Amino acid sequence: MEEPGLAYQWVLQLHSYLAYVALAVLFLAVANAIIGLVSNKMFLPQKDFRISLFALILCHLQLLVGLLLFFVSPNGLNAIQQLGMGGMDSASRLLAVEHPFINIIALVLITIGWSRHKKFMEGHKKFKSIAVFYGLGLILILSRIPWSQWL
């Protein structure tokens, strides 16, 4: 197998560093929504809307970089083509199948939370939509991070 190129290394680094930022903002959005829900605060466009929107944008950007990485990485589509689904060990299956699939589901949930929150007028319902769907997305993302390679 040939050595991965400079473009692959750049995309891999971008995906790794952007993950820290995206996770931090997503965690902030979930915590903000839970605090707003529990304390029965008003949903403010200056703060609450922007935190949720930035989390949505960063997570989608991270997904796009991740999908690009999936197609250029020796651990993504190439691993599936080389080894087949039955020939992968748990580490390669995590990178090639579970991590992308679960993270796509997580982004769908986050997007649903964003879309639902826009339909509500009451701050309580807006916070609840974001807390539940962004929270589920965060849990799914955290469950499929390749921790041994990431930290």
Side-chain angles (χ1 to χ4, degrees):
M1 184 160 32
E2 68 183 59
E3 190 67 27
L6 184 61
Y8 163 71
Q9 293 296 329
W10 187 84
V11 173
L12 180 63
Q13 289 298 315
L14 177 63
H15 187 64
S16 294
Y17 290 123
L18 184 59
Y20 288 110
V21 177
L23 277 174
V25 175
L26 181 58
F27 180 79
L28 179 65
V30 171
N32 181 64
I34 291 170
I35 290 168
L37 184 62
V38 170
S39 60
N40 207 19
K41 291 184 177 181
M42 284 183 48
F43 192 87
L44 301 173
Q46 305 90 318
K47 182 185 125 210
D48 305 312
F49 178 84
R50 287 185 180 163
I51 291 172
S52 302
L53 178 61
F54 288 148
L56 177 82
I57 291 169
L58 286 170
C59 287
H60 276 86
L61 184 60
Q62 176 70 351
L63 178 66
L64 289 175
V65 173
L67 287 174
L68 175 63
L69 187 61
F70 177 78
F71 289 106
V72 300
S73 169
N75 298 321
L77 182 61
N78 190 32
I80 296 171
Q81 291 171 337
Q82 295 282 326
L83 303 171
M85 291 298 286
M88 289 191 266
D89 60 7
S90 63
S92 59
R93 188 178 60 245
L94 172 66
L95 290 175
V97 180
E98 296 169 7
H99 179 73
F101 181 70
I102 295 300
N103 286 323
I104 289 169
I105 292 172
L107 262 288
V108 167
L109 289 170
I110 291 168
T111 305
I112 290 170
W114 175 258
S115 297
R116 281 184 46 129
H117 111 277
K118 293 189 304 182
K119 295 177 183 175
F120 300 125
M121 297 303 291
E122 305 88 23
H124 180 78
K125 289 184 178 181
K126 286 180 174 289
F127 282 127
K128 185 176 180 183
S129 179
I130 291 170
V132 168
F133 286 96
Y134 279 44
L136 289 172
L138 178 61
I139 290 168
L140 287 177
I141 290 169
L142 291 174
S143 77
R144 293 296 109 199
I145 289 177
W147 293 104
S148 62
Q149 295 179 2
W150 201 47
L151 298 174

